[in-house]
Amino acid sequence: MLRDRNILLGVTGSIAAYKSVDIARRLIENGAYVKVVMTEASSRFITPYVFEAVTGNQVCTDLFKEPFNHIHLSKEAHLFIIAPATANTINKLSCGIADNLLSNLWLTYEGPALIAPAMNYRMYRSPIVKKHIRDLKQSGVQFVGPVSGSLACGEEGEGRMVEVPQIVEAAAKALSKKDLTGQHILITAGPTVEPIDPVRYMSNRSSGKMGYAIARAALRRGADVTLISGPSSQEPPEGVSFISVERASEMEAAVFKQFKKATSVIMAAAVSDYSPSDPARVKLRKKDVMSLKLKKNTDILRELGKKKGRRVLVGFAAESGKDIKSAITKLKEKNLDLIVLNDISRKDAGFDVDTNVVTIINRKDRINEYPLMKKIEIADIILDRMREIGAKA
Ligand code: CTP
């Protein structure tokens, strides 16, 4: 979503201005072109030189340095972010006061805009600031934060700028097409954990990264998303309905409870095929040889396939090697619309890495192979394919 987009990053006079360097850096890492506009006050906290070094572009501060800068810069921008945005700047933007380059640009800019406020909590709760934030929101401006926490002045309260990854995520969301609005997507992610006794368990190496990436991409595109996840170190994305589970049986119950309202289901979880048939209530003592009796868990996806109706059903096939035949068998036997095959024998794909190499197969045996990509990019491809099928149904 950020690739090849021109982003205008406005920085105003708050101590959080140092975090804007990281915002610029991360936007660039995601493929965006960033130009920075600073207010006079912000340059007391951080010098323009730092932004110039990070972005490779000249930082604009002076309204009178180059004629018509206040028009050119806003014309070429796909997104205008102001982070941090002080109470003073927010109030001025809402009233249309144009007394510096940044506020002039605001008046000439016509695209999506995102504001990340940063101020003392008393300023944030003042009725004047509240009114201006409300007015800006009503005119379509998006806000991210602020959050509660310790403030630069040493006090605690709501007014702290949100962390950089949230601002970058909000930027990606602001730039996303909203083509999944009205859809309810049920996504599963992560491993399941099957207890052997109170201290030991059986599980697998799934990190949840792929499923969480799909949830994030679907939310950006306007879908309602329910994410059912086994234990994972991933942060549930903002705005998701999140259900945490451990065992395959808990995942099964949660999936069937949420299934009715779903328009599509994407089973990215690595569900344990087996669980100990009789988990011990007390810790097992060690023996020279130990055997574990396992029972087969329900194949959740296969059961969903029997009652899918008009829903689009997407499964994953984790295979050691590019086993297209086995993926097609899973697609057919489980009555899926799409199956995403990933070769878990590769180091740069599959479990616990940020990239993946997938092959997507549909019911008509159309096989699409994709190169090594970030999981968030693959997430969008899966959603595109899912949407195509939903539109035809
Ligand atoms: N799946 C499921 N319930 C299970 C096992 C798997 O819903 N008990 C789902 C997975 O979420 C995935 C798909 O089925 O979307 C295929 O999972 P995979 O582990 O690749 O295949 P299995 O069907 O379990 O077969 P095998 O382990 O023999 O390869």
Side-chain angles (χ1 to χ4, degrees), residues 245-378:
V245 296
E246 294 217 333
R247 303 178 194 198
S249 58
E250 289 169 11
M251 183 168 280
E252 180 189 346
V255 165
F256 282 101
K257 204 165 165 200
Q258 301 298 322
F259 182 60
K260 260 198 202 130
K261 63 177 179 195
T263 49
S264 302
V265 183
I266 304 178
M267 282 288 301
V271 187
S272 262
D273 288 323
Y274 297 92
S275 53
S277 49
D278 194 13
R281 275 165 212 231
V282 291
K283 189 183 162 201
L284 295 172
R285 294 278 162 215
K286 63 172 170 276
K287 297 181 199 154
D288 284 345
V289 178
M290 193 143 173
S291 58
L292 208 54
K293 202 165 166 200
L294 303 176
K295 68 172 173 17
K296 204 163 169 207
N297 292 330
T298 307
D299 187 324
I300 304 171
L301 196 49
R302 188 182 289 264
E303 293 309 309
L304 292 179
K306 290 179 191 162
K307 40 186 93 151
K308 75 189 267 299
R310 291 163 67 91
R311 294 174 190 85
V312 181
L313 215 52
V314 183
F316 274 71
E319 307 291 345
S320 302
K322 199 163 151 190
D323 191 345
I324 290 179
K325 216 173 130 205
S326 159
I328 292 177
T329 306
K330 286 178 188 174
L331 172 104
K332 301 218 158 128
E333 284 185 2
K334 300 191 189 195
N335 192 23
L336 311 179
D337 296 288
L338 285 178
I339 192 145
V340 183
L341 162 64
N342 57 317
D343 174 359
I344 52 146
S345 62
R346 287 180 61 134
K347 283 220 157 60
D348 50 5
F351 294 148
D352 207 21
V353 285
D354 293 323
T355 51
N356 211 349
V357 181
V358 300
T359 301
I360 302 182
I361 307 164
N362 72 4
R363 286 170 93 91
K364 293 180 182 145
D365 289 353
R366 188 177 126 202
I367 298 168
N368 287 96
E369 298 180 30
Y370 298 90
L372 181 75
M373 279 191 261
K374 285 187 182 169
K375 284 185 173 168
I376 190 71
E377 292 169 327
I378 294 174

Side-chain angles (χ1 to χ4, degrees), residues 161-212:
M161 187 167 85
V162 290
E163 294 305 322
V164 173
Q166 275 169 274
I167 295 173
V168 175
E169 181 59 31
K173 193 169 179 185
L175 283 167
S176 291
K177 48 188 177 189
K178 297 287 175 279
D179 59 348
L180 298 177
T181 305
Q183 299 220 23
H184 192 119
I185 308 181
L186 175 58
I187 300 165
T188 65
T192 61
V193 165
E194 312 298 334
I196 295 170
D197 70 12
V199 284
R200 302 176 181 97
Y201 61 82
M202 275 173 60
S203 189
N204 58 63
R205 290 183 187 280
S206 169
S207 61
K209 284 183 175 171
M210 192 65 243
Y212 280 63

